[in-house]
Amino acid sequence: MARKSDTKRQHILSVAAQAFQELGLERTTMSEICARVGGSKATLYNYFSSKEELFFEVMNRSTEAEFEAVYSAVDPSTEDIASSLRNFGERLLGILYSPRVRANRHLAISASGHTQLGRVVYERGVQRGQKLVSDFLREAMGLGKLRQADPVVATKHLYSLLEAELIDRFLFQLLGEVSEEEIKLIADRAIDVFMAAYGFGGGK
């Protein structure tokens, strides 16, 4: 039964992805998706509570494996915590500033004022990722790899530092392609500052 349910869910996601691609977020309705999938609207809502949730899952399906790889790469027990954070930073920025994720982030931001998409992305994407990093930092602090501090605040600082050189141009859609070399340098500078604040011996 579970396999059948998952197969149905994946079918809905595939159909919805095609509808969103053809019609866009605004013009796609749950009724339209239901008509394409077949069956009742109640069944559709059993899988996804709203169009915004469904759209998020469509977006998330294409990048979930990449994000999992990013967050699973950090090891709080490593001797070189700065190197682990640099690796994390490079990987995270590489995904966040890839063309596909940039487009999805812009869409979520632009739709936030009049739909629930922004809230869904924030709660299921942003907060989820930040909790994983917060747990990592908390453990690293407990192991004496970083100084004791509020890991939630430290996580906010880490994310802000990593995006500091790109976020303004991104928000105003003035950002061109970001090369791997640029991302590496940005991550290096961000982690230097982070380690100066939260480490015991400065940056590199």
Side-chain angles (χ1 to χ4, degrees):
M1 185 65 180
R3 178 175 296 179
K4 183 177 180 181
S5 178
D6 186 62
T7 299
K8 178 71 171 180
R9 186 177 189 277
Q10 294 304 318
H11 177 60
I12 292 172
L13 287 171
S14 296
V15 171
Q18 185 65 35
F20 286 129
Q21 184 176 1
E22 292 175 6
L23 304 174
L25 174 63
E26 294 294 330
R27 292 194 297 143
T28 301
T29 64
M30 292 294 268
S31 295
E32 171 69 24
I33 295 170
C34 184
R36 296 188 182 205
V37 170
S40 69
K41 191 180 291 187
T43 300
L44 180 59
Y45 278 103
N46 281 337
Y47 286 91
F48 303 98
S49 64
S50 67
K51 180 177 73 171
E52 289 77 19
E53 178 187 340
L54 179 50
F55 185 79
F56 171 77
E57 291 298 333
V58 168
M59 292 193 304
N60 191 56
R61 186 171 66 159
S62 64
T63 57
E64 177 67 14
E66 295 171 83
F67 274 108
E68 285 187 0
V70 169
Y71 290 107
S72 65
V74 288
D75 178 10
S77 66
T78 181
E79 288 302 313
D80 190 351
I81 197 73
S83 178
S84 184
L85 286 169
R86 285 192 178 88
N87 181 41
F88 165 76
E90 286 180 38
R91 292 187 180 203
L92 181 66
L93 290 177
I95 293 177
L96 289 180
Y97 288 92
S98 65
R100 180 175 50 190
V101 176
R102 281 171 60 173
N104 288 342
R105 292 176 80 193
H106 275 304
L107 179 58
I109 291 169
S110 65
S112 294
H114 53 281
T115 76
Q116 291 298 310
L117 180 60
R119 179 182 293 277
V120 172
V121 171
Y122 178 72
E123 292 177 350
R124 301 195 178 195
V126 176
Q127 286 190 319
R128 174 187 169 208
Q130 289 188 1
K131 184 183 184 307
L132 292 173
V133 174
S134 178
D135 290 343
F136 161 75
L137 294 179
R138 180 182 290 105
E139 187 173 350
M141 291 170 184
L143 292 170
K145 306 295 182 180
L146 297 169
R147 72 171 179 81
Q148 289 295 320
D150 184 334
V152 175
V153 173
T155 297
K156 300 289 188 184
H157 290 166
L158 176 59
Y159 273 81
S160 296
L161 287 167
L162 286 170
E163 290 208 70
E165 297 183 41
L166 301 172
I167 193 65
D168 289 340
R169 285 178 291 156
F170 164 75
L171 290 174
F172 290 102
Q173 301 196 43
L174 300 173
L175 186 65
E177 182 180 352
V178 186
S179 68
E180 290 184 12
E181 180 60 25
E182 187 177 0
I183 283 175
K184 183 180 185 304
L185 293 173
I186 289 171
D188 280 347
R189 290 189 287 265
I191 300 307
D192 279 347
V193 177
F194 184 83
M195 291 303 296
Y198 289 98
F200 294 107
K204 293 180 180 177

